[in-house]
Amino acid sequence: ENRLHLDEALLYNRKLWSIFLSSVTSEEHPLPVTIRQNVANLGLFVMNQTNAIMQNPVRDGIGSLISINRELAAGLLGRA
């Protein structure tokens, strides 16, 4: 059951990052190119890390994803 919850959370996170990556890599996005590239690189890391955790579900692996999501959310809310 815990594995099912982990898989659901990882799939949801991957969907969110897919949407975020599509937005930030759009030519029309208002952020400067350098910031968009940095966010895109971070998104690629998140996607790769998510795939790795899904293949080998170890508890320590999700800590970096949680940290990235929290930091990004804080930055978007202006609390970084």
Side-chain angles (χ1 to χ4, degrees), residues 9-80:
L10 290 170
L11 287 173
Y12 183 76
N13 195 55
R14 186 167 38 185
K15 286 178 186 177
L16 288 175
W17 273 94
S18 293
I19 294 166
F20 194 56
L21 282 168
S22 292
S23 172
V24 80
T25 56
S26 168
E27 291 296 323
E28 294 83 33
H29 200 285
L31 285 174
V33 173
T34 305
I35 294 174
R36 292 187 0 231
Q37 288 172 339
N38 288 339
V39 173
N41 288 335
L42 188 59
L44 292 175
F45 170 81
V46 167
M47 294 299 211
N48 289 331
Q49 186 72 10
T50 299
N51 288 335
I53 295 169
M54 290 182 84
Q55 291 176 12
N56 183 21
V58 292
R59 186 179 185 121
D60 296 340
I62 63 170
S64 62
L65 294 179
I66 292 170
S67 178
I68 289 168
N69 287 349
R70 284 183 177 161
E71 290 296 322
L72 185 63
L76 291 173
L77 294 171
R79 293 186 277 181

